[in-house]
């Protein structure tokens, strides 16, 4: 017999212990997403949607594909690029603020 239990029951116990540990970590750091009120979930949803919209707007300025036989994209004016990048940064900061205020989650750091 192997020195460890490889049964599905043992795997389930390990998973359950891991899930409980993760749940405690989230609770220690802040609130769990399922504990948010309807208004807080809506606020978080709007922050996520704002980041998606800002990302799509910037993408439309820098990653537009030409349509064969129809038109060739022109480079976006520098002012439009700057505004789109600023909007993206503001949307990210809003989302990070919502995560921190509502859930207690620190924003990720670059390279870590």
């Amino acid at each position: 017999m192997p020195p460890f239990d490889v049964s599905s029951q043992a795997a389930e116990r390990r998973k359950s212990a891991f899930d409980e540990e993760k749940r405690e970590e989230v609770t220690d750091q802040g609130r769990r997403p399922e504990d948010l009120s309807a208004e807080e979930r809506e606020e978080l949803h709007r922050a996520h949607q704002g980041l998606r919209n800002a990302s799509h707007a910037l993408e439309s300025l820098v990653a537009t594909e030409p349509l064969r036989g129809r038109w060739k994209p022109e480079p976006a004016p520098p002012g439009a690029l700057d505004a789109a990048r600023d909007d993206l940064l503001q949307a990210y900061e809003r989302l990070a603020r919502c995560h921190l205020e509502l859930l207690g989650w620190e924003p990720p750091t670059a390279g870590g």
Side-chain angles (χ1 to χ4, degrees), residues 19-38:
D19 289 345
E20 185 62 34
E21 182 179 308
K22 283 297 184 189
R23 191 176 359 263
E24 287 174 9
E25 284 178 21
V26 171
T27 303
D28 290 343
Q29 295 173 358
R31 297 167 59 194
R32 296 183 314 219
E34 59 267 22
D35 295 336
L36 297 177
S37 70

Side-chain angles (χ1 to χ4, degrees), residues 9-90:
Q9 290 175 341
E12 186 58 37
R13 283 193 305 271
R14 285 192 302 275
K15 181 184 179 307
S16 178
F18 176 78
D19 289 345
E20 185 62 34
E21 182 179 308
K22 283 297 184 189
R23 191 176 359 263
E24 287 174 9
E25 284 178 21
V26 171
T27 303
D28 290 343
Q29 295 173 358
R31 297 167 59 194
R32 296 183 314 219
E34 59 267 22
D35 295 336
L36 297 177
S37 70
E39 294 81 19
E40 290 168 329
R41 281 194 303 278
E42 180 62 28
E43 180 181 353
L44 191 56
H45 170 75
R46 284 193 309 269
H48 276 275
Q49 188 62 51
L51 183 60
R52 279 191 291 275
N53 292 346
S55 176
H56 289 163
L58 181 59
E59 179 185 15
S60 73
L61 294 174
V62 298
T64 304
E65 292 289 324
L67 296 176
R68 194 170 106 182
R70 294 189 63 197
W71 65 286
K72 181 179 177 184
E74 293 291 323
L81 286 174
D82 290 343
R85 289 190 354 231
D86 287 345
D87 289 346
L88 183 65
L89 179 60
Q90 288 176 9

